[in-house]
Amino acid sequence: MRRAMLSEFWYYFSQNKGAVIGLVVFSIIVFLAVFAPIIAPHSPSLQNRQALILPPAWMDGGSWSYPLGTDAVGRDIFSRLIFGARFSLFIGVVVVALSVSVGVFVGLIAGFFRGWIDTAIMRVMDVILAFPSLLLALVLVAILGPGLTNAMIAIALILQPHFVRLTRAAVLSEREREYVISARVAGAGKLRLMFVTILPNCLAPLIVQGTLAFSNAILDAAALGFLGVGAQPPTPEWGTMLAEAREFILRAWWVVTFPGLAILTTVLAINLMGDGLRDALDPKLKQS
């Protein structure tokens, strides 16, 4: 049964060629991140004062020892990008785990109990959503203090309302269905109804939203790093790399371009995968 479900899922997922390409690219990024100490030719913090702002290897003056060139203090950009993938993926995983776990729990409570509890929770979520996400994240990091951990907490908080609203909407559509009423008549408790009966039938849209939140977390973390309140130098995080390279945009394009391309490629691959997951998990989009 499980094999048949996986086979059906892969069939609908693979119909979206963009999603397959996104999966391949994302798998390569994960592979590079996991085996970064083996693949990277240099330490991400190793400085070579004899090779400052060295161009990529295919340009005049470049060296294959530094295939994508070096930055202003002689660090290998290629090695820093590979190690930066670790930070970006770690940020995405932690932020999604926090926002999903809290958001789903709060959304379940709001949708199941309704009444003043639902009203109070949703008004708080509306207040959070009323602020521009990056501005709110900046305020939270300013209160908590700059750093990667506080940046992840702030991003998780601004992404959480989306999961609350989505879970609440799914619970409201499921709570009066026959199978829920049957479980209630059979004597199932409230916790069992919420987490065992209703929640599994709400997972499909949450999984899709989780992939979008993953890419948003990477973008927001890069933005906070660029503004100087996220990961702090010399951490090889892509947004921090962009911030350090701002003054060299005109004279050393590679210092800015490659971290930007890394962010673009990763976020695009995740979004393409999200489209494929939507096609594979949404019964309304499945073709007979």
Side-chain angles (χ1 to χ4, degrees):
M1 181 65 179
R2 181 172 299 178
R3 181 176 298 179
M5 292 176 61
L6 291 175
S7 177
E8 181 187 16
F9 168 82
W10 175 250
Y11 171 79
Y12 287 108
F13 183 87
S14 61
Q15 295 301 301
N16 189 327
K17 302 304 179 185
V20 176
I21 295 173
L23 177 62
V24 172
V25 173
F26 185 72
S27 300
I28 294 173
I29 294 171
V30 171
F31 177 82
L32 292 174
V34 171
F35 296 100
I38 300 173
I39 298 172
H42 304 279
S43 167
S45 58
L46 179 64
Q47 301 180 10
N48 183 357
R49 296 296 180 174
Q50 307 302 317
L52 303 181
I53 314 183
L54 204 67
W58 60 86
M59 295 179 62
D60 293 338
S63 170
W64 285 107
S65 297
Y66 304 100
L68 297 183
T70 61
D71 62 11
V73 292
R75 295 174 298 194
D76 180 39
I77 293 177
F78 179 63
S79 299
R80 287 178 65 78
L81 287 177
I82 293 176
F83 277 91
R86 283 186 156 190
F87 286 95
S88 292
L89 295 178
F90 175 73
I91 290 168
V93 170
V94 172
V95 167
V96 169
L98 286 174
S99 56
V100 168
S101 57
V102 177
V104 168
F105 180 74
V106 175
L108 271 174
I109 293 176
F112 188 83
F113 291 102
R114 302 292 302 276
W116 68 269
I117 297 177
D118 179 25
T119 303
I121 289 174
M122 296 315 298
R123 293 302 75 78
V124 173
M125 297 301 113
D126 290 340
V127 169
I128 296 176
L129 290 172
F131 290 92
S133 58
L134 185 57
L135 176 61
L136 181 58
L138 279 171
V139 172
L140 292 172
V141 173
I143 295 172
L144 298 173
L148 187 59
T149 301
N150 291 338
M152 289 190 293
I153 294 173
I155 296 169
L157 182 60
I158 64 176
L159 292 178
Q160 171 199 305
H162 300 285
F163 292 97
V164 174
R165 292 167 67 94
L166 191 61
T167 304
R168 173 183 177 272
V171 171
L172 290 177
S173 66
E174 296 290 331
R175 68 192 298 270
E176 301 302 332
R177 292 184 181 272
E178 288 80 1
Y179 72 93
V180 178
I181 297 174
S182 299
R184 186 181 291 115
V185 172
K190 292 181 179 179
L191 290 178
R192 182 175 180 83
L193 286 172
M194 292 168 60
F195 292 98
V196 179
T197 307
I198 297 177
L199 182 58
N201 294 284
C202 305
L203 290 180
L206 291 172
I207 292 173
V208 177
Q209 182 63 36
T211 61
L212 299 177
F214 197 105
S215 61
N216 287 333
I218 294 175
L219 279 176
D220 290 340
L224 293 176
F226 181 78
L227 294 172
V229 296
Q232 300 298 299
T235 303
E237 194 269 329
W238 293 335
T240 305
M241 292 175 65
L242 285 173
E244 294 176 331
R246 277 179 296 187
E247 58 184 294
F248 304 101
I249 291 177
L250 297 179
R251 54 182 288 210
W253 59 266
W254 56 89
V255 181
V256 178
T257 301
F258 292 124
L261 286 176
I263 297 171
L264 170 66
T265 302
T266 304
V267 171
L268 180 59
I270 295 171
N271 287 341
L272 290 174
M273 289 171 55
D275 289 340
L277 287 173
R278 181 198 60 194
D279 295 344
L281 296 173
D282 192 343
K284 298 176 183 178
L285 298 178
K286 292 182 179 179
Q287 298 176 356
S288 59

